[in-house]
Amino acid sequence: MRASVAGCRMSVGALLNGLLVSVVAALLWKYSKLSEHAALLEEELHMTRQSQELSQARIDYHVALQALQEHGTRMVCTGKMHTDRICRFDYLCYSSEAEEFVFFHSNSSVMLPNLGSRRFQPALLDLSSVEDHNTQYFNFLELPAATLKFMSKPVFVPDVTLILNRFNPDNLMHVFHDDLLPAYYTMKQYSDLDDEARLVFMEGWSEGPHFDLYRLLSSKQPLLKEQLRNFGKLMCFTKSYVGLSKMTTWYQYGFVQPQGPKANMLVSGNEIRQFARALMEKMNITSVEEVEKEGGSSEDEKEKKDEYIVVFSRSTTRLILNEAELIMVLAQEFQMRVVTVSLEDQSFPSIIQVISGASMLVSMHGAQLITSLFLPRRATVVELFPFAVNPEQYTPYKTLASLPGMDLHYISWRNTNEENTVTHPDRPWEQGGITHLEKEEQERILASKDVPRHLCCRNPEWLFRIYQDTLVDIPSVLEVLKEGMKSKPSMKKSKPASLVHPGRVREPQCQTSVQTTNEAKLTVSWQIPWNLKYLKVREVKYEVWIQEQGENTYMPYILPQQNYTFSENIKPFTTYLVWVRCIFNKNLLGPFADVLMCRT
C-alpha cells in the first residue's frame, strides 16, 4: 500500500516537472520568436530609414518587401526591337555587389515581351538614345523570388524613376542631343514621369561639368551609379522606366558610316523649341518671343534697338586668333553691337539669356553651337571651320538649324589658307597631337589639305585639324556672309511655316467611256480634304496614280484641279486602279484615299 502511494507521488511529480519544462520551453520559444520579430522590425525600420534617405516619399517597408517576395518583378515594354524599346518595371532590383540589375521570378511575375535567349541578341534595349552602341546595352540577371531570403535585405526606392545612360556628359552637344532632349520627351510620354520622378544614371561617369542642366528635368536630385552602393547591396525600384526615346535625335556620329544627319528624322523645330522654352523657364529666363507676345515696343523699334550679334569665345583650343578684329568688322558691317560669351567664364543661364535675344550667333565649330536651339526665330547661325575641315561632312548644327519649324538661317565659312592656321602636333592625342604616330603617318597628315570622310571617334587626322587655331580671313568671311544673307528670308515678323498636313480627299470617284476600239477616257474627280476649308495654304495640288490591273508600274500625275479626264495610255475594256491624295506647299503630303477600281 505504501509502495503504491509512493509510486503515485512520483508519477505526479514527474508530470508536474514535465509540465513545468513544457511551459518554460514554450515561454523561451515565444521569447525567441518575439526577439526575432523585434529584430526583423528593427531591421525593417532601418531599411525604411534608408529608403527615406533616398526620397521624401513614404513607403511601408513590410508591404513593399511582401510584394517583392510574393509577386516578384513585373516588366511590360513598348517597341519591337532593342533600338526602339522602353520598358516599365515594378520592383526591378539592382545588386551593387554584382553591378547587375536583377529580375526576381515568382508565379505572379510578368515579362513582356518574353524573348527568352533572344533578349541577349544583342540586348533587351539601349540605355542611351545613341542607337545600337555596344557600350549602352541593358539587360538583367534572373533569380527566383525565393532566393531573397538568402540575400541582404533590399532598400526600396519609392520614387518613380527613369533609368538611363548619359552618353558623354562632358560634351555640351551630347548633353543636349543625346540626353536632355530624349529624357525630356520620354518623361512627356509617361504621365507618372513627372517633376517628382527621379533620374538614375547608370553609365558610370561622375557628375561632369553640366550636371546642373540634368537637375532641371526633375525636382529630385539625380542618382549616379557610384552612389547606389551607398544604400546597400540590393536596391529595388518600386516603379521604374528603363531606356530613352530616340525620336528627338537628328544626328548620327559615324560609328557605322561617316557622321551625318539621321536617315529618318522624326523631330521638328517645334518640339525642340518647346523643350528650349521649358528649360528657359526652369532657368528663369524670359525669351524675346515671350516678351513680344506680352506686348511692348513696335517691331520696327525692336529691330533697331535690340538687334545684336553674339560671338562665342574659346580660351583653350580652336581659337579665333584675331577675334577682336572680327568683332569690330562684324559691328561695322551689320551696324549692330557685338557681345562675346564664353562657357569657360560665364554661367550657362547667363549665356542663354544673351543668345535667346541675338540676331546672329558666330562660332568656331564645336559643342557650344548646340546653344543655337535657344536662338529666336529668324536668327542666323554662322559656323567657322578650321583649315582642311569640310563643312559638308560635319553638319550637326546645320541639320539642327534646317529642321522644319526651327526657322534659323545657316551659313558656314571655311579657312582655305593654310598660312592662317596654327597646329599643335605636340599636344595629347585627344587634343589633336600626332607625335605618338609613326613619322610617315605624321608627314601624311601634315601634307593633307582635306580630311577624308571617316568613322568615329579617334581619327588622328580629324583631331589634328579640328583642334587648330585659326586666323580668320576677314574679307572672305564678309564675302561669305553677304552672299549667305541674300538667301535669308525676310526679317519682318512672320508666322512660323505651317507643318499641317492635308487630310484625305473626299468622295473620290471615276467615270469611263469607250471612244473607239482603241481609245477610251477615264475621268477622276474628288472633293477637297475636310481640313482645307479651315486653312490658309499657299499652294494646293493633287497627286493621282493610275495603274493597270495586273501591272507593276503606275503613271503619276500632279494636278491643280479636282477633276481630270485622262485619255493618253487609257485602253478600252481594261480595269485601272486609281489613288488620289492632296499636297500642301509642294512637300506636305496627305494620305491616299481608298483606291478606286475603274473599268473602261
Side-chain angles (χ1 to χ4, degrees):
M1 181 70 181
R2 288 177 182 173
S4 171
V5 172
C8 183
R9 286 175 179 169
M10 288 179 65
S11 297
V12 172
L15 179 62
L16 289 172
N17 284 336
L19 286 172
L20 182 60
V21 169
S22 297
V23 169
V24 170
L27 288 171
L28 288 172
W29 180 83
K30 188 173 184 180
Y31 176 76
S32 68
K33 285 297 180 184
L34 286 172
S35 298
E36 184 180 335
H37 184 61
L40 284 171
L41 286 175
E42 188 175 345
E43 186 178 18
E44 285 188 6
L45 182 61
H46 173 68
M47 303 311 287
T48 301
R49 284 172 183 157
Q50 281 195 286
S51 295
Q52 296 304 135
E53 287 178 21
L54 277 169
S55 173
Q56 295 300 313
R58 293 288 173 183
I59 186 169
D60 186 322
Y61 185 86
H62 180 71
V63 171
L65 182 60
Q66 188 175 13
L68 176 60
Q69 291 170 334
E70 293 181 3
H71 302 296
T73 306
R74 295 179 292 282
M75 175 191 89
V76 178
C77 304
T78 59
K80 293 183 178 180
M81 304 292 292
H82 73 279
T83 52
D84 66 350
R85 192 171 286 140
I86 296 175
C87 295
R88 174 191 157 159
F89 289 86
D90 293 333
Y91 294 100
L92 175 68
C93 298
Y94 178 76
S95 168
S96 58
E97 187 178 29
E99 293 192 346
E100 296 272 10
F101 284 94
V102 184
F103 186 107
F104 285 104
H105 283 277
S106 77
N107 291 333
S108 302
S109 291
V110 174
M111 187 186 288
L112 285 175
N114 198 325
L115 298 171
S117 61
R118 287 176 293 159
R119 183 162 60 83
F120 309 109
Q121 299 173 0
L124 177 64
L125 55 82
D126 292 336
L127 268 177
S128 162
S129 69
V130 177
E131 188 168 314
D132 202 24
H133 194 289
N134 60 9
T135 65
Q136 308 298 313
Y137 291 156
F138 170 84
N139 244 314
F140 48 74
L141 300 178
E142 297 173 81
L143 284 173
T147 59
L148 282 161
K149 60 188 175 185
F150 304 112
M151 305 177 73
S152 300
K153 290 287 185 183
V155 172
F156 290 97
V157 182
D159 305 313
V160 179
T161 56
L162 176 60
I163 299 172
L164 65 136
N165 275 3
R166 298 174 298 166
F167 188 69
N168 183 358
D170 286 350
N171 181 287
L172 196 60
M173 162 67 184
H174 289 288
V175 167
F176 274 91
H177 180 268
D178 307 340
D179 304 340
L180 295 179
L181 256 167
Y184 177 81
Y185 277 106
T186 300
M187 294 173 77
K188 291 293 182 186
Q189 194 172 336
Y190 302 99
S191 59
D192 46 356
L193 283 174
D194 54 19
D195 188 57
E196 296 295 311
R198 190 183 297 276
L199 278 65
V200 181
F201 303 138
M202 295 303 301
E203 77 291 327
W205 291 64
S206 61
E207 287 189 355
H210 308 294
F211 202 65
D212 282 345
L213 293 174
Y214 294 97
R215 290 190 176 102
L216 297 176
L217 295 178
S218 167
S219 61
K220 302 280 180 70
Q221 172 77 1
L223 283 176
L224 301 176
K225 181 180 179 180
E226 64 186 31
Q227 294 172 324
L228 300 188
R229 64 178 69 252
N230 298 334
F231 298 100
K233 291 184 177 180
L234 189 65
M235 194 173 192
C236 295
F237 301 92
T238 54
K239 183 186 290 186
S240 59
Y241 293 84
V242 182
L244 284 178
S245 168
K246 298 179 176 67
M247 288 190 290
T248 59
T249 57
W250 65 84
Y251 206 72
Q252 57 84 18
Y253 300 123
F255 297 114
V256 178
Q257 59 186 10
Q259 66 169 276
K262 288 180 65 174
N264 185 27
M265 285 183 280
L266 301 174
V267 68
S268 75
N270 179 53
E271 289 76 39
I272 291 174
R273 287 196 173 278
Q274 287 189 48
F275 160 79
R277 188 157 53 246
L279 252 61
M280 289 173 67
E281 287 175 4
K282 294 277 189 178
M283 293 186 283
N284 296 316
I285 299 170
T286 303
S287 69
V288 171
E289 292 175 1
E290 291 299 316
V291 171
E292 289 177 5
K293 283 181 185 177
E294 295 170 5
S297 56
S298 71
E299 185 65 24
D300 288 340
E301 288 175 352
K302 281 181 181 295
E303 288 186 3
K304 291 175 185 176
K305 184 173 64 177
D306 295 341
E307 284 198 69
Y308 58 89
I309 296 169
V310 171
V311 173
F312 248 113
S313 181
R314 298 173 65 107
S315 61
T316 54
T317 62
R318 218 173 303 164
L319 306 179
I320 300 174
L321 297 173
N322 55 338
E323 185 180 290
E325 182 185 2
L326 176 64
I327 289 170
M328 182 180 69
V329 170
L330 288 172
Q332 292 174 345
E333 178 66 28
F334 292 96
Q335 292 298 295
M336 297 183 198
R337 62 190 176 97
V338 178
V339 181
T340 60
V341 293
S342 168
L343 288 173
E344 293 93 344
D345 301 328
Q346 294 169 254
S347 70
F348 190 79
S350 68
I351 291 173
I352 298 309
Q353 178 73 69
V354 174
I355 287 176
S356 66
S359 299
M360 182 184 293
L361 177 62
V362 181
S363 174
M364 292 297 295
H365 173 81
Q368 69 280 355
L369 270 168
I370 192 63
T371 57
S372 59
L373 64 84
F374 293 99
L375 282 167
R377 298 182 191 275
R378 304 178 299 280
T380 300
V381 180
V382 182
E383 186 172 10
L384 311 177
F385 286 84
F387 178 77
V389 179
N390 186 345
E392 295 304 315
Q393 295 179 10
Y394 310 97
T395 61
Y397 313 112
K398 178 182 180 180
T399 305
L400 169 62
S402 304
L403 288 174
M406 279 306 293
D407 296 324
L408 296 176
H409 188 58
Y410 177 87
I411 299 172
S412 67
W413 172 87
R414 175 185 184 180
N415 176 24
T416 56
N417 188 349
E418 192 169 7
E419 294 180 357
N420 288 346
T421 193
V422 175
T423 61
H424 301 281
D426 297 325
R427 282 182 175 170
W429 70 266
E430 64 271 17
Q431 293 183 11
I434 58 173
T435 53
H436 64 289
L437 302 173
E438 296 290 336
K439 192 71 175 173
E440 185 178 339
E441 177 66 1
Q442 291 184 44
E443 291 172 354
R444 185 196 67 77
I445 290 174
L446 289 168
S448 173
K449 308 298 182 189
D450 205 349
V451 177
R453 293 182 71 85
H454 57 89
L455 296 181
C456 189
C457 295
R458 298 187 176 189
N459 183 282
E461 187 171 350
W462 151 252
L463 292 171
F464 174 71
R465 290 302 184 185
I466 200 59
Y467 279 105
Q468 297 170 112
D469 300 329
T470 303
L471 185 71
V472 172
D473 183 66
I474 300 297
S476 70
V477 167
L478 290 180
E479 184 180 346
V480 166
L481 285 175
K482 288 176 183 177
E483 192 62 32
M485 296 300 279
K486 289 179 182 177
S487 60
K488 182 177 180 178
S490 170
M491 287 296 291
K492 290 184 178 180
K493 190 172 184 180
S494 59
K495 292 182 179 179
S498 173
L499 300 177
V500 176
H501 288 254
R504 292 173 182 265
V505 299
R506 295 173 300 135
E507 301 175 24
Q509 52 187 288
C510 60
Q511 294 180 336
T512 62
S513 61
V514 176
Q515 306 300 307
T516 67
T517 55
N518 297 320
E519 295 181 12
K521 290 184 179 180
L522 169 62
T523 300
V524 183
S525 62
W526 55 88
Q527 298 299 314
I528 65 171
W530 177 81
N531 63 337
L532 179 55
K533 62 183 179 181
Y534 298 102
L535 300 171
K536 291 183 179 180
V537 181
R538 186 177 68 253
E539 181 182 59
V540 178
K541 290 196 174 180
Y542 299 92
E543 185 173 18
V544 179
W545 292 4
I546 301 178
Q547 181 183 47
E548 185 178 335
Q549 191 174 36
E551 297 294 324
N552 293 324
T553 58
Y554 61 87
M555 297 175 289
Y557 301 88
I558 301 293
L559 305 170
Q561 67 266 44
Q562 293 166 235
N563 62 78
Y564 193 81
T565 299
F566 303 89
S567 57
E568 187 177 352
N569 298 319
I570 303 298
K571 297 183 288 189
F573 315 113
T574 304
T575 300
Y576 291 95
L577 307 179
V578 180
W579 294 266
V580 184
R581 68 176 170 186
C582 184
I583 305 174
F584 288 171
N585 301 331
K586 297 182 180 178
N587 60 357
L588 296 172
L589 306 177
F592 280 109
D594 293 339
V595 61
L596 300 173
M597 294 191 68
C598 311
R599 175 76 179 176
T600 57

